[in-house]
Amino acid sequence: MTRTTIAEACETAIERTWFHLAGLALILVNAVALGLETYDPLVASFGPVIRGIEYVCLAGFVVELLIRFGAHLRAPAGFFTDAWNVFDLLIVVAPLLPGVRENVTLLRLVRLARLVRTFRLFPSLRVILVGIRRALPGLGSFLSVMVLVLYGYAMLGWMMFGDAFPAQYGTVGRAMLTLFLLLSLDGITDTLMTGREVTEWAVLYYVSYMVAACYLLTNLLVGLVLTALQEAHEEMAAAKQPSTAETQRLAD
Amino acid sequence: MTRTTIAEACETAIERTWFHLAGLALILVNAVALGLETYDPLVASFGPVIRGIEYVCLAGFVVELLIRFGAHLRAPAGFFTDAWNVFDLLIVVAPLLPGVRENVTLLRLVRLARLVRTFRLFPSLRVILVGIRRALPGLGSFLSVMVLVLYGYAMLGWMMFGDAFPAQYGTVGRAMLTLFLLLSLDGITDTLMTGREVTEWAVLYYVSYMVAACYLLTNLLVGLVLTALQEAHEEMAAAKQPSTAETQRLAD
Amino acid sequence: MTRTTIAEACETAIERTWFHLAGLALILVNAVALGLETYDPLVASFGPVIRGIEYVCLAGFVVELLIRFGAHLRAPAGFFTDAWNVFDLLIVVAPLLPGVRENVTLLRLVRLARLVRTFRLFPSLRVILVGIRRALPGLGSFLSVMVLVLYGYAMLGWMMFGDAFPAQYGTVGRAMLTLFLLLSLDGITDTLMTGREVTEWAVLYYVSYMVAACYLLTNLLVGLVLTALQEAHEEMAAAKQPSTAETQRLAD
Amino acid sequence: MTRTTIAEACETAIERTWFHLAGLALILVNAVALGLETYDPLVASFGPVIRGIEYVCLAGFVVELLIRFGAHLRAPAGFFTDAWNVFDLLIVVAPLLPGVRENVTLLRLVRLARLVRTFRLFPSLRVILVGIRRALPGLGSFLSVMVLVLYGYAMLGWMMFGDAFPAQYGTVGRAMLTLFLLLSLDGITDTLMTGREVTEWAVLYYVSYMVAACYLLTNLLVGLVLTALQEAHEEMAAAKQPSTAETQRLAD
């Protein structure tokens, strides 16, 4: 009997606006506390206070998680079907695990991961997420082409400049990093001029790379992201008006 | 009786083309005068003339404002419902207020603010304004994601480089500024190479940042601005042809 | 009688493919000759040959112009209604005018202007021209906003950095050039850091400028150019199929 | 009799998924082997192993090619109608040709060319290829305009800076390279400032170049690539649903 009562109470709580706002407030306060910890003078004078705030936030996360779990009390397995619930659980439980507990870096990363929860609570952020997810298949083949072009140019670069500039083109891995950074066109003039002292082919090599990778492929990326975003917008708009579609179906 | 007569005369004046053009001329002359004041040799020889032009412009603004107020004379409260009228009033009145009167910087800022009035008088500029206003909701969630990504990378950067480069990554605030400036990809090669001397993770850190923030998110921004601009264009086109829509409605 | 005969012969010639190809060949040969003249060793050994080629090209331009004029022989005034004809005439006549004849720089500019004729003869280039012409009204208001933003930031920059960096912000003109070059985000990190030594407001000043001018306004430009290009494409497509539209009209 | 049997067996093999996957695996293993060869320590200890892997891959390519040829055994000439088959044959045969056999660079280039085969086997990469092919006509006229603008500015640059900066503007070829690299806006501030010491026209020259080439033309490129990509997407979508179109045609 109590099980059903608790589950109902939890469900009611989750649907309330204050539950949502409290969740957001927890994340923001926690994020600010994490940020304040990077200011040494503040830590020196208010260290325990900041730590205390973080523990309160952690307690808040546990309570939020318990309420969410409570809503699934009639069928607890259903709780784990939502990937966000599993993610929240991991974030709360991870600092207690041996191996994580002693490692300052891992602990900090776990605490940082709590920022990701914002995406769960801000519905307007989901357009961006949906847009990125939509763009992934197109981005997959785009990245394949990009990697192919980078790899091909890296091999050519190694053949041309491997001996002259071992730090930049000594191995295919270094050459790929050099060419990836060159996508930003940062210092392209100097790079081309030093390359030209080795071989005149450097002009053709860098100019064709600029045209192919920096202009054509980068613009293709713009196009892919734009198309994906447009589809995401349409999807969100369609999801918002299911009733209209239904009404129309009934009218027919 | 005179009230209504004045109001009618003012209304007629406002609708005239010369009133509009005189307003634009005032702003332009005022802007040029402000600019000329930054040339020291000119100020030395023609300082009083430039000051005089600015006082004439100010008088012009007052007259324009009085005419606009005059048109509302039958119901003076209506004058304050238009935000532009309030803005114009503030710009004219502010230099007389104590606290502003003595402060050279504030006085200059108030005079500079008169440039903003151009948006009131150039209707073609409003497409841009409408486009920016349209983009705001989308930009809001975009900025949230941007700030989240910057904050997350700033915390990671502080953990990795906080001790090695205190000027760039000493606190989360400095790290966010460093990463924001890195969005321009200016000097990315040097930054990555110095970071690599601290830890090899720097390569993964900067390359993933370049892909996520500089390529994906910047392109998302292009998409959001484009969509907003398109909607602004359609809105302006629809606003221009209300009669067509009406005619159609009548035809039905 | 001969008048009409000549006019008819010229009209036939203009419509021939070889006339068009000869015109293009003349421009290309002339352009190559102009380029070769910049190589000092070539000029030393083949100077007279290059000069000769240029005179032959000039003769060709005169002949082309005479044929085009001949086609208008029945009503010579009609020749001057096409702006391209006037442009061609100016290019051929200008080197003979006193004042231009003696000035090496002006003569070179006139010869360079012959390159512009390519747009007359390459019809596929006109999509670009139509696109740019289409974009002009939108670009007009965009440029007004851009100039306003630049002018406003330049005035602020002069107030903040005028005394500290007279070379960059000493006058409003210099400040506008500095800010325009900053649109490229080239060396933004150094600029911000040196500005910060003067006042902490520099961070807000440069960060807001980056967001407003470099990200928002530059993306607006992308949007305006895209919209204009799309309209130009549709216009060209519509111009290509007038017969289809006509057929349809007849079918109705 | 055996001819037809072999042809049928080969055709069945080509349609199998494992044939496709084995082809991809060969390319990837081959690419990794090529990459590993650039790491000197690895070559020192495992050189013969890497070479062996490459020979196995080459054998695999030969087998794949023989199977593909086998499928055309009934009409061997049909094998050469697919450009990909000719390309594959060249890659396998080229290392055996005299002139290529002794030239390390050519041999390496041939082995590198095997990477291009990925486009044959990854169908999702073809959207990108189709997009680029679609963009070519538009890109053709775009490139003509770009070359014209570069050439015109290069001639102007040679006239203005030819004597002062022979390394950058000494000939029209060098000037075009300088201006092409300037498209990246890398170091624009320094370039303009040194140019200004020669003539004040440098400001107009570089600012107009930035606006025309870097902002207007680069954005036109974005537009052309976007339009082409959209058309490629629609073409691929249309190609996927020929049955729908057919059904509809039947329904009519």
Side-chain angles (χ1 to χ4, degrees):
Chain A
M1 212 57 170
T2 34
R3 263 200 170 187
T4 321
T5 325
I6 292 170
E8 271 166 12
C10 291
E11 273 172 4
T12 323
I14 287 171
E15 275 156 25
R16 289 277 154 80
T17 316
W18 60 256
F19 182 79
H20 195 75
L21 291 178
L24 276 179
L26 270 179
I27 294 175
L28 289 179
V29 169
N30 188 51
V32 170
L34 282 176
L36 291 178
E37 256 186 86
T38 66
Y39 292 85
D40 287 340
L42 278 177
V43 173
S45 28
F46 302 105
V49 179
I50 297 173
R51 288 269 147 181
I53 292 171
E54 279 182 44
Y55 281 116
V56 170
C57 288
L58 186 57
F61 289 138
V62 173
V63 170
E64 190 190 332
L65 204 60
L66 283 176
I67 293 177
R68 283 190 194 275
F69 183 76
H72 284 277
L73 212 60
R74 275 166 295 191
F79 176 76
F80 299 98
T81 54
D82 186 346
W84 279 114
N85 286 335
V86 179
F87 179 76
D88 287 1
L89 191 65
L90 274 176
I91 282 171
V92 168
V93 171
L96 309 171
L97 299 176
V100 177
R101 206 165 33 185
E102 301 85 22
N103 190 322
V104 179
T105 308
L106 275 180
L107 272 177
R108 275 177 178 165
L109 283 176
V110 166
R111 279 190 290 158
L112 200 53
R114 283 177 202 144
L115 276 178
V116 180
R117 296 191 69 244
T118 328
F119 284 99
R120 173 178 202 166
L121 297 173
F122 260 124
S124 59
L125 293 194
R126 273 181 229 159
V127 187
I128 309 275
L129 275 194
V130 171
I132 290 172
R133 208 191 309 145
R134 276 260 157 198
L136 281 186
L139 285 181
S141 53
F142 170 78
L143 279 179
S144 312
V145 175
M146 199 76 216
V147 167
L148 259 174
V149 170
L150 270 178
Y151 196 82
Y153 270 92
M155 290 298 296
L156 282 175
W158 171 74
M159 282 161 62
M160 285 162 78
F161 309 120
D163 297 326
F165 312 121
Q168 275 89 46
Y169 291 98
T171 66
V172 78
R174 282 185 209 162
M176 281 183 85
L177 183 59
T178 304
L179 289 169
F180 180 77
L181 291 172
L182 212 60
L183 279 181
S184 70
L185 295 175
D186 181 53
I188 179 83
T189 311
D190 292 342
T191 310
L192 190 144
M193 287 310 158
T194 48
R196 233 178 142 178
E197 283 162 25
V198 178
T199 160
E200 273 301 310
W201 287 101
V203 176
L204 186 68
Y205 177 76
Y206 284 118
V207 168
S208 70
Y209 182 71
M210 266 178 82
V211 170
C214 306
Y215 292 117
L216 279 188
L217 284 180
T218 308
N219 282 342
L220 267 178
L221 181 62
V222 179
L224 289 169
V225 171
L226 277 186
T227 315
L229 197 74
Q230 220 161 355
E231 281 173 15
H233 261 291
E234 279 160 21
E235 192 172 278
M236 299 294 277
K240 262 187 194 162
Q241 310 179 310
S243 53
T244 325
E246 251 167 51
T247 324
Q248 211 152 350
R249 224 174 299 146
L250 287 173
D252 297 341
Chain B
M1 211 59 171
T2 33
R3 260 202 172 186
T4 322
T5 325
I6 293 171
E8 270 166 12
C10 291
E11 272 171 4
T12 322
I14 288 172
E15 275 156 25
R16 288 276 154 82
T17 317
W18 60 256
F19 182 79
H20 194 74
L21 290 177
L24 276 178
L26 270 179
I27 295 175
L28 288 179
V29 169
N30 188 50
V32 169
L34 283 176
L36 291 178
E37 256 186 84
T38 66
Y39 292 85
D40 286 339
L42 278 176
V43 174
S45 29
F46 302 105
V49 179
I50 297 173
R51 290 268 148 183
I53 293 170
E54 278 181 46
Y55 281 116
V56 170
C57 289
L58 185 57
F61 290 138
V62 172
V63 170
E64 190 190 334
L65 204 59
L66 284 176
I67 293 177
R68 284 190 194 276
F69 182 76
H72 284 278
L73 212 61
R74 276 167 294 191
F79 176 77
F80 299 98
T81 54
D82 187 346
W84 279 114
N85 287 334
V86 179
F87 179 77
D88 287 1
L89 192 65
L90 274 176
I91 282 172
V92 168
V93 171
L96 308 170
L97 299 176
V100 178
R101 207 166 30 185
E102 302 85 23
N103 190 322
V104 180
T105 307
L106 275 180
L107 272 178
R108 275 178 177 163
L109 283 176
V110 166
R111 281 189 290 156
L112 201 52
R114 283 177 201 146
L115 277 179
V116 180
R117 296 190 70 244
T118 328
F119 284 99
R120 176 179 199 165
L121 296 173
F122 260 125
S124 59
L125 292 194
R126 272 182 230 159
V127 187
I128 310 273
L129 275 193
V130 170
I132 290 171
R133 207 190 310 146
R134 276 260 156 198
L136 281 186
L139 285 181
S141 53
F142 171 78
L143 280 179
S144 312
V145 174
M146 199 75 215
V147 168
L148 259 174
V149 169
L150 270 177
Y151 195 83
Y153 270 92
M155 290 297 296
L156 281 174
W158 171 74
M159 282 162 63
M160 284 162 78
F161 308 120
D163 297 326
F165 311 121
Q168 274 90 45
Y169 291 98
T171 66
V172 79
R174 282 185 209 165
M176 281 183 85
L177 183 59
T178 304
L179 289 169
F180 179 77
L181 291 172
L182 213 60
L183 279 181
S184 70
L185 296 174
D186 181 54
I188 179 84
T189 311
D190 292 342
T191 310
L192 190 145
M193 286 310 158
T194 48
R196 233 177 142 179
E197 282 161 25
V198 178
T199 159
E200 272 302 310
W201 287 101
V203 176
L204 187 67
Y205 177 75
Y206 284 116
V207 167
S208 70
Y209 182 72
M210 265 178 81
V211 170
C214 307
Y215 292 117
L216 279 188
L217 285 180
T218 307
N219 282 342
L220 267 178
L221 181 61
V222 178
L224 289 169
V225 171
L226 277 186
T227 315
L229 196 75
Q230 220 161 355
E231 280 173 15
H233 261 292
E234 278 160 21
E235 193 172 279
M236 299 293 278
K240 264 189 194 161
Q241 310 180 311
S243 54
T244 325
E246 251 167 53
T247 324
Q248 212 152 350
R249 225 174 298 144
L250 287 172
D252 296 343
Chain C
M1 210 60 170
T2 34
R3 260 204 173 183
T4 323
T5 325
I6 292 170
E8 270 166 13
C10 290
E11 272 172 5
T12 323
I14 288 171
E15 274 157 26
R16 289 276 154 82
T17 315
W18 60 257
F19 182 80
H20 194 75
L21 290 178
L24 276 177
L26 271 179
I27 295 175
L28 289 180
V29 169
N30 188 50
V32 170
L34 282 176
L36 290 179
E37 256 187 86
T38 66
Y39 292 86
D40 287 338
L42 278 177
V43 173
S45 29
F46 302 105
V49 180
I50 298 174
R51 287 269 148 181
I53 292 171
E54 277 181 46
Y55 280 115
V56 170
C57 288
L58 186 56
F61 288 138
V62 172
V63 170
E64 189 190 334
L65 204 59
L66 283 176
I67 293 177
R68 283 189 194 276
F69 183 76
H72 285 278
L73 212 59
R74 274 166 296 190
F79 176 77
F80 299 98
T81 54
D82 186 347
W84 280 115
N85 287 335
V86 179
F87 179 77
D88 287 3
L89 191 65
L90 274 177
I91 282 172
V92 168
V93 170
L96 309 170
L97 300 175
V100 178
R101 206 166 31 185
E102 302 83 24
N103 190 321
V104 180
T105 307
L106 275 180
L107 272 178
R108 274 177 178 163
L109 283 176
V110 166
R111 280 190 291 156
L112 201 52
R114 285 180 200 141
L115 276 178
V116 181
R117 296 190 71 242
T118 328
F119 284 100
R120 176 179 200 166
L121 296 173
F122 259 126
S124 59
L125 292 194
R126 274 182 229 158
V127 187
I128 310 275
L129 275 193
V130 171
I132 291 171
R133 207 189 311 146
R134 276 261 156 196
L136 282 186
L139 286 181
S141 55
F142 171 79
L143 280 179
S144 311
V145 174
M146 200 74 216
V147 167
L148 259 175
V149 170
L150 271 178
Y151 195 83
Y153 270 91
M155 291 297 296
L156 281 175
W158 170 73
M159 283 161 62
M160 285 162 79
F161 308 120
D163 297 326
F165 312 121
Q168 275 90 47
Y169 292 99
T171 66
V172 79
R174 280 185 210 165
M176 281 182 85
L177 183 60
T178 304
L179 288 169
F180 180 77
L181 291 172
L182 213 59
L183 279 180
S184 70
L185 295 174
D186 181 54
I188 180 83
T189 311
D190 292 342
T191 310
L192 190 144
M193 287 310 159
T194 47
R196 232 177 143 179
E197 281 161 27
V198 177
T199 158
E200 273 301 310
W201 287 100
V203 176
L204 187 67
Y205 177 75
Y206 285 117
V207 167
S208 71
Y209 182 71
M210 266 178 81
V211 170
C214 306
Y215 293 117
L216 279 188
L217 284 181
T218 307
N219 283 341
L220 267 178
L221 181 61
V222 178
L224 289 170
V225 171
L226 277 186
T227 315
L229 198 74
Q230 221 160 353
E231 281 174 14
H233 261 292
E234 279 161 20
E235 192 173 279
M236 299 293 278
K240 264 188 194 159
Q241 311 179 311
S243 53
T244 325
E246 250 167 53
T247 325
Q248 213 152 350
R249 225 175 297 144
L250 287 172
D252 295 343
Chain D
M1 209 61 170
T2 33
R3 262 202 171 186
T4 323
T5 325
I6 292 170
E8 270 167 11
C10 289
E11 273 171 4
T12 323
I14 287 170
E15 275 157 26
R16 288 276 154 80
T17 317
W18 60 257
F19 182 79
H20 194 75
L21 290 178
L24 276 178
L26 270 179
I27 295 174
L28 289 179
V29 169
N30 188 50
V32 169
L34 283 176
L36 290 178
E37 256 187 84
T38 67
Y39 291 86
D40 287 339
L42 278 176
V43 173
S45 29
F46 301 105
V49 180
I50 297 173
R51 289 267 148 180
I53 293 171
E54 278 181 46
Y55 281 116
V56 170
C57 288
L58 186 57
F61 288 137
V62 172
V63 170
E64 191 190 333
L65 203 60
L66 284 176
I67 294 177
R68 284 190 194 274
F69 183 76
H72 284 277
L73 213 60
R74 275 166 296 191
F79 176 76
F80 298 99
T81 53
D82 186 347
W84 279 115
N85 286 335
V86 179
F87 179 77
D88 287 3
L89 192 65
L90 274 177
I91 282 172
V92 167
V93 171
L96 307 171
L97 299 176
V100 177
R101 206 165 32 184
E102 302 83 22
N103 190 321
V104 180
T105 307
L106 275 180
L107 273 177
R108 274 177 178 163
L109 283 176
V110 167
R111 281 190 289 157
L112 202 53
R114 283 178 201 143
L115 277 178
V116 180
R117 296 190 70 243
T118 328
F119 284 98
R120 175 178 201 166
L121 296 173
F122 259 125
S124 58
L125 292 195
R126 274 182 229 159
V127 188
I128 309 274
L129 275 193
V130 171
I132 290 171
R133 208 190 309 148
R134 276 259 156 198
L136 282 187
L139 286 181
S141 54
F142 171 78
L143 280 179
S144 312
V145 175
M146 200 75 216
V147 167
L148 259 174
V149 170
L150 271 178
Y151 196 82
Y153 270 92
M155 290 297 296
L156 281 174
W158 170 75
M159 282 161 62
M160 284 163 78
F161 309 121
D163 296 325
F165 312 121
Q168 275 89 46
Y169 292 98
T171 66
V172 79
R174 280 186 211 163
M176 281 183 85
L177 182 59
T178 304
L179 289 169
F180 180 77
L181 291 172
L182 213 60
L183 279 181
S184 70
L185 295 175
D186 181 54
I188 180 82
T189 311
D190 292 343
T191 310
L192 190 143
M193 287 310 158
T194 49
R196 234 178 141 178
E197 282 161 25
V198 178
T199 160
E200 272 302 310
W201 287 101
V203 176
L204 187 68
Y205 178 75
Y206 285 118
V207 167
S208 71
Y209 182 72
M210 265 178 81
V211 170
C214 306
Y215 292 116
L216 279 188
L217 284 180
T218 308
N219 282 343
L220 266 179
L221 181 62
V222 179
L224 288 170
V225 171
L226 278 186
T227 315
L229 197 74
Q230 222 160 354
E231 280 173 15
H233 261 292
E234 278 160 20
E235 192 173 277
M236 299 294 277
K240 263 188 193 160
Q241 311 180 313
S243 53
T244 325
E246 250 167 54
T247 324
Q248 213 151 348
R249 225 176 299 147
L250 287 173
D252 296 342

